[in-house]
């Protein structure tokens, strides 16, 4: 992912794919023109990189020239095309090939206006990128390198407000802008709930605790809640897809959030993968698993202390506590590996004052 000015872009078309498309255009055009010497006209600024690669590949002698038009403002095409540099050479009787990206076709219309009174033999239009969904003109496109969806792209000559032209690959604008999505982990008693409350305030994140989401859906008898309950009533585990569908609803409810703190999910590799797919479908990703690390003996002491007032039976018995902690480590070791493999695992010392621990967590999040 890259950031240009205020916007984020994700990889879309690789340099190799572009190279293959350029080669195909060269082959088709060279075949059609045979020994005729064409003039290739690039539209500046966007086409400089394509023209350069194109003429290097062109197998026969050719001429190259440029015209300079400007139509785009930010990420929007405008009807008002400015002619910054016009034709500077006589093209009478020549075959002219034009290279560009074609979006609305406004620029192409201007090009046809420019060539109307030039006595060229033929004006062939070749474009590396073509967005059929936004093209609303009737001019024929003779050669198309690649059809692309109606997304704003940068790289390989194309810019967003001046930036991105030098990128060898093409990137597309992300529909969801940057989010900070955390998986919060920690053994029972590590202080996840407390820290999640501070972090969601500080970073304007939405805290999604799977346990709460389950209870909410079951209490409100939503379709997914009833489905989940039907498994629980049979004493079976709720299938991952049901949980993911619930999380999806929560994520969609909070589409404008700066990000999410997932708490209690994922617990297995399969769930971690499902969560990655969910975030990917939102044009986003999990940025980090943040795990609060607390020594077993400290945990046991904290939980026994909590048990005196919480009334939770599972907080009162030391051997039950030790078992829960042990289970946490056996189950989560896999997830630690899952996120470490992607360089997304961050262990944070969970012993100290609440404020100190928040500071440690913030140091990790600020670097994401
Ligand atoms: P059109 O006039 O709408 O067909 O757009 C043509 C011109 O707009 C191109 O020559 C580019 O300079 C610019 N353009 C169109 N689409 C994009 C894009 O996705 N990214 C960057 N520039 C674009
Ligand atoms: Mg441009």
């Amino acid at each position: 992912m890259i950031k240009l000015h205020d916007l984020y872009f994700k990889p879309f078309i690789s340099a190799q794919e572009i190279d293959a498309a350029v080669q195909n255009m060269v082959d088709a055009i060279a075949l059609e023109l045979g020994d005729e010497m064409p003039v290739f006209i690039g539209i500046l600024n966007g086409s400089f990189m394509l023209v350069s690669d194109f003429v290097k590949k062109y197998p026969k002698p050719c001429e190259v020239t440029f015209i300079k038009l400007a139509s785009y403002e930010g990420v929007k095409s405008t009807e008002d095309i400015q002619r910054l540099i016009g034709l500077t050479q006589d093209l009478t009787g020549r075959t002219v090939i034009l290279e560009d990206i074609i979006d609305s076709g406004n620029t192409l219309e201007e090009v046809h206006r420019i060539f109307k009174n030039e006595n060229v033999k033929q004006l062939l239009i070749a474009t590396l990128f073509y967005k059929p969904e936004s093209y609303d003109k009737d001019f024929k496109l003779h050669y198309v390198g690649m059809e692309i969806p109606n997304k704003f792209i940068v790289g390989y000559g194309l810019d967003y407000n001046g930036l991105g032209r030098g990128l060898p690959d093409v990137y597309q604008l992300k529909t969801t802008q940057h989010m900070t999505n955390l998986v919060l982990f920690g053994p029972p008693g590590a202080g996840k709930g407390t820290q999640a409350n501070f972090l969601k305030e500080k970073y304007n994140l939405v805290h999604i605790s799977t346990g709460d989401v389950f209870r909410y859906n079951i209490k409100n008898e939503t379709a997914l809640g009833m489905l989940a309950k039907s498994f629980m009533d049979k004493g079976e585990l709720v299938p991952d897809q049901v949980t993911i569908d619930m999380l999806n609803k929560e994520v969609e409810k909070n589409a404008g959030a700066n990000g999410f703190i997932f708490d209690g999910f994922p617990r297995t590799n399969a769930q971690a993968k499902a969560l990655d797919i969910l975030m990917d479908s939102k044009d986003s990703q999990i940025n980090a698993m943040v795990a609060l690390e607390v020594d077993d003996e400290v945990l046991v002491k904290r939980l026994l202390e909590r048990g005196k007032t919480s009334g939770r039976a599972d907080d009162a018995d030391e051997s039950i506590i030790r078992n829960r902690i042990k289970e946490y480590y056996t189950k989560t070791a896999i997830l630690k590996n899952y996120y470490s493999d992607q360089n997304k695992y961050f262990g944070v010392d969970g012993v100290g004052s609440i404020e100190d621990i928040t500071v440690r967590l913030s140091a990790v999040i600020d670097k994401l």
Side-chain angles (χ1 to χ4, degrees), residues 230-244:
S230 72
F231 289 98
M232 291 155 99
D233 288 348
K234 282 182 282 181
E236 290 169 20
L237 286 175
V238 179
D240 287 351
Q241 196 52 50
V242 177
T243 312
I244 278 287

Side-chain angles (χ1 to χ4, degrees), residues 5-247:
H5 298 294
D6 54 329
L7 297 180
Y8 290 86
F9 295 82
K10 61 177 180 179
F12 182 37
I13 306 167
S14 72
Q16 287 99 309
E17 291 171 290
I18 296 169
D19 193 69
V22 175
Q23 188 64 57
N24 285 339
M25 288 170 70
V26 166
D27 294 345
I29 293 169
L31 184 70
E32 181 153 332
L33 297 187
D35 287 331
E36 186 184 335
M37 199 199 296
V39 182
F40 294 110
I41 299 198
I43 300 190
L44 292 174
N45 292 324
S47 71
F48 74 93
M49 206 176 276
L50 168 68
V51 172
S52 163
D53 286 345
F54 187 97
V55 296
K56 273 186 273 180
K57 290 179 187 294
Y58 201 74
K60 303 253 172 70
C62 61
E63 285 180 50
V64 186
T65 187
F66 292 92
I67 53 181
K68 179 160 171 149
L69 305 175
S71 69
Y72 250 67
E73 276 167 22
V75 298
K76 292 242 159 47
S77 188
T78 64
E79 296 238 358
D80 172 33
I81 314 278
Q82 293 184 335
R83 223 181 274 189
L84 303 173
I85 301 176
L87 281 176
T88 52
Q89 92 190 66
D90 181 16
L91 297 170
T92 307
R94 306 293 301 277
T95 291
V96 175
I97 310 250
L98 199 103
E99 333 208 5
D100 203 3
I101 171 171
I102 293 179
D103 181 19
S104 68
N106 290 334
T107 307
L108 187 58
E109 188 168 50
E110 180 68 12
V111 163
H112 276 270
R113 225 173 279 138
I114 293 174
F115 279 89
K116 216 171 78 195
N117 299 320
E118 303 288 321
N119 293 316
V120 296
K121 184 176 155 196
Q122 52 177 347
L123 177 60
L124 296 179
I125 307 297
T127 181
L128 175 59
F129 300 117
Y130 168 48
K131 301 180 189 171
E133 292 156 44
S134 65
Y135 187 63
D136 60 7
K137 302 288 188 288
D138 293 322
F139 306 109
K140 185 170 157 66
L141 308 180
H142 302 85
Y143 305 96
V144 172
M146 246 184 244
E147 287 194 3
I148 60 170
N150 194 8
K151 295 258 167 69
F152 186 76
I153 59 173
V154 293
Y156 201 69
L158 300 171
D159 70 307
Y160 163 51
N161 279 352
L163 295 184
R165 293 194 194 276
L167 299 163
D169 305 286
V170 162
Y171 293 74
Q172 81 177 53
L173 182 64
K174 275 166 57 90
T175 44
T176 311
Q177 284 303 299
H178 189 66
M179 296 200 283
T180 303
N181 299 307
L182 309 173
V183 171
L184 186 60
F185 247 79
K192 277 183 300 170
T194 311
Q195 293 300 332
N197 277 333
F198 283 109
L199 295 180
K200 76 177 189 198
E201 290 297 322
K202 179 159 181 195
Y203 294 97
N204 194 14
L205 305 176
V206 174
H207 179 201
I208 300 185
S209 145
T210 351
D212 291 346
V213 174
F214 269 122
R215 281 185 285 276
Y216 171 88
N217 277 279
I218 291 171
K219 182 164 159 258
N220 290 284
E221 303 191 346
T222 68
L224 283 169
M226 299 318 286
L227 185 61
K229 193 167 177 293
S230 72
F231 289 98
M232 291 155 99
D233 288 348
K234 282 182 282 181
E236 290 169 20
L237 286 175
V238 179
D240 287 351
Q241 196 52 50
V242 177
T243 312
I244 278 287
D245 289 346
M246 284 190 199
L247 293 182

